Amino acid sequence: MSDPTNPAELAQALIQKPSVTPADAGALDTLQIALKTLGFQCHRLPFEEDGAARVDNLYARIGDSAPHFCFAGHTDVVPAGALDEWSVDPFAGTIKDNQLWGRGAADMKSAIAAFAVAAGRHLNGAKTPARGSISMLITGDEEGEAINGTKKMLQWLADRGETIDQCVVGEPTNPSALGDMVKVGRRGSLNGWITVRGRQGHVAYPHRADNPIPKLLRKLLLLSEHALDEGYEFFQPSNLEITDIHIGNPAHNVIPERATARFNVRFNPNWTGESLNAWLRARLDATAKDIDAIYELKTIVSGEAFLTPPSLFIDNLQDIVERHCGNRPELSTTGGTSDARFIKDYAPVVEFGLVGATMHKVDEHVAVQDIETLADIYTDILKVYFETA
């Protein structure tokens, strides 16, 4: 990296490390070198757990007093897919047509670079902030199972007695243009599996068998056609989507013994994972009696719904974004999950980053000007935060 004050060049250097989850490929080393130059104390936090891949993470902090401002993000990326469909090498960090191209350009290596540069500007050569502390909490496990990343890093911080007073996550929050949207919460996510058991038999003698497929379909219709709620402040209505039906029956003349379906529920704060699970079981139990169906339900909640309440910080963030982008960003909770679902248990958290229109797609790219503007926004966020906190 020839110019550590240039966010696009640091973003290029990060993209050139093919850190597809759970591999790091040197991405954290690249960031750590840049942060150490600024005076950050860096801690590498590799975690591993049976059944999940070993993941490396980076926590870097400068300053040791309150208020403590933390930027959180991830250097891991999703696979590039078919390389022949890309117009550029997905891991070259190519700049053309005033755009930075490559896997992770939008999600979210460029935002990490922008904040690192903003932190350097805020410090302005000082060995410690004039007030408070700045940190970066960067995982290599956001796009994967999220077992050995942010969640464990936060527990590591708590065990050390470190607290975070305000956190910004640099996910690509803007649908179309920089300045569109700030995320102030996220919907919860519940994954479910329904298995209905029957009795195997010959299709010519259905009275000697018990076909589980019609019973499973009735259960799925009962769940999918029912409106869970009408929405919640800043949240759209909760929705249940059937994502897979699996029979595993290779024979055309055999009634199968079991049928399984997978579904996902994205839910707002009208629900918790526990209350939603109870509702699902109550609905399925009622149907089971009506149609004499033996079923099993398994659910896993990957994140609870949450909403960060209004605050001076959010107002200031909107003001700063509006000043740089010309429009006041909408406060929203749309989209999938992020590691903010873990951070909200430790600190107030909002999300603001680049435009996400091409994230996870072939030819992922962001405008170089947007990277530079984001660095300017992050610089002002730090200035105003430490003046008002």
Side-chain angles (χ1 to χ4, degrees):
M1 185 178 59
S2 59
D3 183 1
T5 66
N6 186 321
E9 284 197 17
L10 179 53
Q12 279 184 291
L14 292 172
I15 291 170
Q16 288 163 2
K17 308 300 182 182
S19 50
V20 177
T21 316
D24 172 63
L28 292 177
D29 288 338
T30 299
L31 179 60
Q32 180 171 321
I33 290 169
L35 294 178
K36 277 191 169 183
T37 301
L38 298 174
F40 280 79
Q41 296 293 315
C42 296
H43 303 269
R44 294 295 278 271
L45 302 173
F47 296 115
E48 57 185 318
E49 182 176 300
D50 292 342
R54 181 182 185 274
V55 174
D56 202 359
N57 306 279
L58 171 65
Y59 175 67
R61 178 170 175 168
I62 188 166
D64 57 10
S65 63
H68 176 189
F69 184 97
C70 178
F71 176 90
H74 62 92
T75 50
D76 64 316
V77 298
V78 298
L83 300 183
D84 59 356
E85 294 184 7
W86 285 72
S87 63
V88 297
D89 180 342
F91 297 108
T94 302
I95 292 180
K96 68 170 186 175
D97 302 326
N98 298 315
Q99 305 280 326
L100 173 61
W101 302 71
R103 179 58 82 224
D107 188 16
M108 55 165 285
K109 290 182 174 181
S110 298
I112 291 173
F115 186 82
V117 169
R121 293 174 182 170
H122 182 77
L123 294 166
N124 195 28
K127 297 299 183 182
T128 187
R131 180 170 182 251
S133 307
I134 302 171
S135 69
M136 294 188 72
L137 188 83
I138 308 298
T139 183
D141 193 31
E142 197 273 346
E143 299 289 8
E145 298 175 271
I147 292 174
N148 290 316
T150 298
K151 190 174 183 179
K152 288 188 176 180
M153 295 177 75
L154 291 164
Q155 185 59 58
W156 180 85
L157 287 178
D159 292 343
R160 286 164 54 93
E162 292 195 39
T163 58
I164 298 170
D165 296 299
Q166 179 64 56
C167 184
V168 169
V169 179
E171 289 286 355
T173 56
N174 299 285
S176 303
L178 189 66
D180 280 347
M181 186 175 291
V182 172
K183 297 288 179 70
V184 292
R186 291 280 186 165
R187 292 180 296 170
S189 178
L190 178 146
N191 294 305
W193 295 261
I194 304 172
T195 298
V196 175
R197 296 183 180 276
R199 186 170 62 253
Q200 187 176 2
H202 196 294
V203 295
Y205 304 93
H207 57 285
R208 298 176 180 174
D210 182 11
N211 195 332
I213 298 175
K215 297 178 180 181
L216 175 64
L217 295 178
R218 287 186 63 180
K219 289 182 176 295
L220 294 176
L221 285 173
L222 176 75
L223 296 180
S224 64
E225 293 181 347
H226 183 90
L228 289 166
D229 54 61
E230 296 181 354
Y232 194 90
E233 184 181 13
F234 294 112
F235 287 84
Q236 64 198 80
S238 302
N239 65 291
L240 183 151
E241 299 297 333
I242 300 163
T243 57
D244 183 54
I245 297 176
H246 179 72
I247 311 298
N249 179 17
H252 68 276
N253 59 350
V254 174
I255 293 171
E257 186 269 339
R258 68 173 65 187
T260 298
R262 185 176 67 231
F263 63 93
N264 177 268
V265 184
R266 295 300 167 104
F267 58 95
N268 60 43
N270 282 304
W271 303 89
T272 64
E274 183 178 1
S275 67
L276 185 57
N277 186 71
W279 180 86
L280 289 166
R281 291 187 183 277
R283 298 282 290 180
L284 293 170
D285 283 346
T287 313
K289 296 175 183 177
D290 292 341
I291 61 177
D292 189 26
I294 299 173
Y295 81 95
E296 297 172 358
L297 173 67
K298 175 185 175 184
T299 60
I300 296 176
V301 178
S302 59
E304 296 284 355
F306 75 94
L307 178 66
T308 301
S311 67
L312 176 61
F313 179 81
I314 293 175
D315 290 342
N316 288 337
L317 173 56
Q318 286 183 288
D319 290 343
I320 292 167
V321 172
E322 184 175 15
R323 184 163 63 248
H324 284 279
C325 301
N327 56 284
R328 193 165 187 83
E330 173 190 358
L331 301 181
S332 175
T333 60
T334 56
T337 58
S338 75
D339 278 0
R341 69 189 190 272
F342 305 128
I343 298 168
K344 54 90 176 172
D345 294 327
Y346 294 81
V349 58
V350 298
E351 301 176 59
F352 184 75
L354 289 164
V355 176
T358 63
M359 63 179 175
H360 293 204
K361 293 184 179 181
V362 168
D363 279 345
E364 180 178 349
H365 63 278
V366 291
V368 171
Q369 182 58 60
D370 281 358
I371 301 173
E372 295 171 352
T373 302
L374 184 63
D376 293 338
I377 290 171
Y378 286 157
T379 301
D380 283 357
I381 288 172
L382 288 172
K383 178 179 183 294
V384 173
Y385 174 73
F386 286 109
E387 288 175 347
T388 59

